[in-house]
Amino acid sequence: MILMQAGPVLNAGNPDRPFPRMTFGVEGNFLLNFGAWRHFNYIADEGYRVNIKDFRSSANANGQLLANVGCNISRRVNIALYAGIAGLYEDKAAIPVSVRVTVLYGQNPLKCRWFSFADAGAGIGSFYEKDVSPFAKLGGGYRISLSRSVKLDFMIAYQLLASHPGVTEEIDGVPTPVTGTRLRRNDMLTNALSFGIGLNF
C-alpha cells in the first residue's frame, strides 16, 4: 500500500494551459506495519479444530517504489494508475497495482498546494497465498511546484491490506505448514502508515 500523485508534463498541444493534461511520476514510500487482525481456522494434525482470532501489534518496516501515469481532469483533480514493487517483511516482495484520485486545494496549478488522495487496488506476489490481495489508502500531503511541469510531493497515508498468509503448527516441535482441506480460513488485515516522496512531471 502507498503513494502519490502524478504531476504535470508539458502539453505541446496547448503550451498556454496552466497545467498539462497527461501526467507521469515516480515515488518512494517507507511503510510501517503497526498491527494486524487475524482469523485462522484449521484442523490440527491431531484432529481437533483450532480457531484463532486476535490482533497482533508487532511492527514491520517495508518499502515501495512506484511509477504512475495519469490525467489532470481539472485544475484540482488528477486520476492516475500506479504500479511498482513493494518489499514486504520476511524478505518477500509484491507488485502493487492501484488507481488513485488526488484532489489539490487552491486554484493555481503553478503554486505550492496541499492535497489529499484515495487509492484502491491489489497486490500480487510471493507474500500472498492467493493471486491478489486488495488494499486501500487514504492520505494527504504537500506539493512543491518547482516549475510548470515538475512537482515535488511529500505524503503521509494510512493503508489497510487484506492478505492470506500461510498457517503453521508445531508437530513434534517442528513448525509445519497447514495445507489442503485442513486449512479452513487464513485471513489477515494489516494496518500500515506510509511516508513518501514523489517527483512528478
Side-chain angles (χ1 to χ4, degrees), residues 90-156:
E90 298 178 352
D91 297 324
K92 296 183 180 180
I95 299 173
V97 179
S98 66
V99 174
R100 181 179 302 176
V101 177
T102 301
V103 177
L104 296 111
Y105 303 102
Q107 292 294 327
N108 191 343
L110 301 179
K111 290 188 176 181
C112 301
R113 298 191 284 177
W114 294 96
F115 62 86
S116 59
F117 63 90
D119 206 329
I124 306 168
S126 60
F127 175 68
Y128 309 109
E129 293 297 317
K130 295 188 176 180
D131 291 338
V132 296
S133 291
F135 67 85
K137 294 178 190 173
L138 287 175
Y142 189 70
R143 165 166 290 186
I144 297 175
S145 180
L146 303 179
S147 71
R148 176 183 180 274
S149 58
V150 181
K151 313 295 178 181
L152 181 64
D153 294 341
F154 295 91
M155 300 154 284
I156 184 172

Side-chain angles (χ1 to χ4, degrees), residues 21-163:
R21 183 64 70 188
M22 296 302 298
T23 62
F24 307 89
V26 293
E27 74 178 49
N29 296 297
F30 170 79
L31 279 81
L32 178 62
N33 297 329
F34 61 87
W37 291 282
R38 304 186 306 162
H39 186 188
F40 297 159
N41 190 296
Y42 61 93
I43 305 300
D45 184 62
E46 297 180 358
Y48 58 87
R49 182 183 295 275
V50 178
N51 188 53
I52 300 172
K53 291 182 179 181
D54 63 10
F55 179 83
R56 299 183 64 185
S57 58
S58 59
N60 297 283
N62 302 305
Q64 286 183 338
L65 182 62
L66 304 173
N68 67 72
V69 58
C71 177
N72 284 323
I73 63 176
S74 74
R75 291 171 178 264
R76 296 182 54 193
V77 180
N78 178 276
I79 298 177
L81 176 67
Y82 280 72
I85 187 167
L88 301 172
Y89 68 84
E90 298 178 352
D91 297 324
K92 296 183 180 180
I95 299 173
V97 179
S98 66
V99 174
R100 181 179 302 176
V101 177
T102 301
V103 177
L104 296 111
Y105 303 102
Q107 292 294 327
N108 191 343
L110 301 179
K111 290 188 176 181
C112 301
R113 298 191 284 177
W114 294 96
F115 62 86
S116 59
F117 63 90
D119 206 329
I124 306 168
S126 60
F127 175 68
Y128 309 109
E129 293 297 317
K130 295 188 176 180
D131 291 338
V132 296
S133 291
F135 67 85
K137 294 178 190 173
L138 287 175
Y142 189 70
R143 165 166 290 186
I144 297 175
S145 180
L146 303 179
S147 71
R148 176 183 180 274
S149 58
V150 181
K151 313 295 178 181
L152 181 64
D153 294 341
F154 295 91
M155 300 154 284
I156 184 172
Y158 166 74
Q159 174 178 289
L160 182 64
L161 181 143
S163 62

